Amino acid sequence: MKARYFKHILEFKRPSGTSRGILKTKESWFIVISDKNKEGIGECGILRTLSIDDRPDYEDKLKWTCDNIDLGIDRLLEELIEFPSIQFGVEIAFKSLNSESPFVLFPSTFTRGDSCIPINGLIWMGEKEFMLEQIQNKLDQGFDCIKMKIGAIDFKTELNLLSHIRSQFSSDIIELRVDANGAFMPDEALHKLLELSKYDIHSIEQPIKQGQAESMAALCKKTPVPIALDEELIGIFDVTEKKKLLQTIRPQYIILKPSLIGGFKGTDEWINIANSMGISWWITSALESNIGLNAIAQYTHTLKNDMPQGLGTGGLYTNNFESPLQVNMGTLSYNPTKTWKVKNVN
């Protein structure tokens, strides 16, 4: 068995705004495992400045992983504990290698094209007119769950956008989620949540920065808007520490990004702990290419969670890999009659 890796820079069709800045490109790394006449490919979906494994030795660890691929998946996952995005790439690559089709990792009614996954429509930060345009486009496309990133422009402007949506669509018709990416200060967060609650918000992701467990716990006790932990989960490797975090904060939801929390294995651990505490959850992709998104979507379908999931559409980039994934009326589906076109695998 042999392995190699390569890098692919994904280019956004339009610069996309978050509270951490404007994104123009997205770096992704891929592991390709070869065994006799079969190949498997996996994506290591690192997000610079956010992933815990954004480290100077990242590529060195990728090379080490490929050089030691014969250790097998279980041993590799142990050795890669501090590199969750590489863990995920290894998991996908082995799944791909051992599947009848390299891109059908979890055969199901989803991969047969007989069922789909409800997803939220993502509204990127930007000028008011741009955000309004996005909102209208998502509504026209049939989405009944919209997620709006907030925290980068004036808060009153953001409230006006939410008010605009609610003036046309009640919460029975459109579910509204917001993602602050930790943009609120602890001493102002509760006031802002009270303002947001006027618009029947389903939930808010990470209102304050991660690493402030006591402040977040106090907020979760008082909040009028259900709170979902997102960045808070990054960098927690030990199962005991995962339990401690959720016991301390007691959030209403957790949001699981496999690329950032140790792939399928790490996600399964968080789900089991959350279920034991009565904490709800959903899965979100993290700007992966269609290779990573495909793996996350197929895995998500097996979990049988009926909530709208935060799965990207694959349409953000000018140079994504062509795939059978498609979005229709607010759902993600897999069209088995379409073929994959994966270039640059060298």
Side-chain angles (χ1 to χ4, degrees), residues 97 196 250 266 288:
L97 179 70
L196 288 167
R250 292 285 174 174
E288 295 87 357

Side-chain angles (χ1 to χ4, degrees), residues 249-306:
I249 297 178
R250 292 285 174 174
Q252 285 75 31
Y253 297 102
I254 60 172
I255 297 174
L256 303 158
K257 294 178 177 173
S259 288
L260 302 182
I261 59 171
F264 305 133
K265 185 173 182 290
T267 303
D268 285 344
E269 288 179 353
W270 281 111
I271 288 174
N272 290 336
I273 296 166
N275 286 344
S276 72
M277 296 184 188
I279 297 170
S280 300
W281 51 268
W282 68 87
I283 306 291
T284 300
S285 54
L287 299 178
E288 295 87 357
S289 78
N290 279 332
I291 290 174
L293 174 60
N294 175 61
I296 295 170
Q298 291 184 30
Y299 164 73
T300 298
H301 185 266
T302 69
L303 301 175
K304 303 187 186 310
N305 183 324
D306 294 333

Side-chain angles (χ1 to χ4, degrees), residues 150-151 153-160 184 191-193 195-196:
I150 62 174
I153 62 175
D154 179 69
F155 186 60
K156 287 185 178 179
T157 301
E158 291 169 340
L159 293 178
N160 287 338
F184 299 165
H191 171 72
K192 289 190 171 182
L193 290 172
E195 289 293 310
L196 288 167

Side-chain angles (χ1 to χ4, degrees), residues 202-213:
H202 170 270
S203 56
I204 180 168
E205 297 180 30
Q206 203 68 45
I208 64 175
K209 285 183 179 178
Q210 68 267 40
Q212 305 176 87

Side-chain angles (χ1 to χ4, degrees), residues 105-336:
L105 311 181
F106 298 89
S108 68
T109 56
F110 177 75
T111 55
R112 292 196 296 271
D114 296 329
S115 60
C116 56
I117 302 170
I119 61 174
N120 60 231
L122 179 60
I123 307 301
W124 290 91
M125 292 175 175
E127 296 297 327
K128 180 180 179 181
E129 291 73 20
F130 172 54
M131 294 183 78
L132 277 172
E133 177 188 337
Q134 291 180 83
I135 290 165
Q136 191 58 55
N137 286 341
K138 295 301 180 187
L139 297 175
D140 292 343
Q141 291 166 20
F143 283 89
D144 57 14
C145 178
I146 289 177
K147 171 183 165 180
M148 195 172 97
K149 286 187 173 288
I150 62 174
I153 62 175
D154 179 69
F155 186 60
K156 287 185 178 179
T157 301
E158 291 169 340
L159 293 178
N160 287 338
L161 288 168
L162 294 169
S163 177
H164 172 75
I165 299 172
R166 277 289 171 251
S167 69
Q168 300 182 63
F169 303 97
S170 70
S171 57
D172 294 333
I173 299 173
I174 296 293
E175 179 177 292
L176 278 177
R177 300 173 177 177
V178 295
D179 181 3
N181 287 128
F184 299 165
M185 298 300 293
D187 60 356
E188 67 178 9
L190 184 58
H191 171 72
K192 289 190 171 182
L193 290 172
L194 287 166
E195 289 293 310
L196 288 167
S197 69
K198 298 173 184 176
Y199 305 104
D200 293 319
I201 303 299
H202 170 270
S203 56
I204 180 168
E205 297 180 30
Q206 203 68 45
I208 64 175
K209 285 183 179 178
Q210 68 267 40
Q212 305 176 87
E214 296 302 327
S215 294
M216 187 70 87
L219 204 55
C220 286
K221 280 184 180 179
K222 299 177 181 178
T223 182
V225 177
I227 289 174
L229 300 189
D230 181 358
E231 288 94 337
E232 202 78 53
L233 310 185
I234 298 171
I236 312 296
F237 306 126
D238 181 73
V239 174
T240 302
E241 290 301 311
K242 292 177 180 180
K243 288 180 181 177
K244 181 181 177 182
L245 181 77
L246 295 190
Q247 285 171 343
T248 299
I249 297 178
R250 292 285 174 174
Q252 285 75 31
Y253 297 102
I254 60 172
I255 297 174
L256 303 158
K257 294 178 177 173
S259 288
L260 302 182
I261 59 171
F264 305 133
K265 185 173 182 290
T267 303
D268 285 344
E269 288 179 353
W270 281 111
I271 288 174
N272 290 336
I273 296 166
N275 286 344
S276 72
M277 296 184 188
I279 297 170
S280 300
W281 51 268
W282 68 87
I283 306 291
T284 300
S285 54
L287 299 178
E288 295 87 357
S289 78
N290 279 332
I291 290 174
L293 174 60
N294 175 61
I296 295 170
Q298 291 184 30
Y299 164 73
T300 298
H301 185 266
T302 69
L303 301 175
K304 303 187 186 310
N305 183 324
D306 294 333
M307 296 176 67
Q309 306 295 301
L311 302 180
T313 63
L316 289 173
Y317 306 116
T318 62
N319 59 339
N320 206 341
F321 306 107
E322 290 186 45
S323 81
L325 295 169
Q326 55 191 29
V327 176
N328 183 43
M329 296 303 292
T331 65
L332 183 67
S333 59
Y334 190 97
N335 184 347

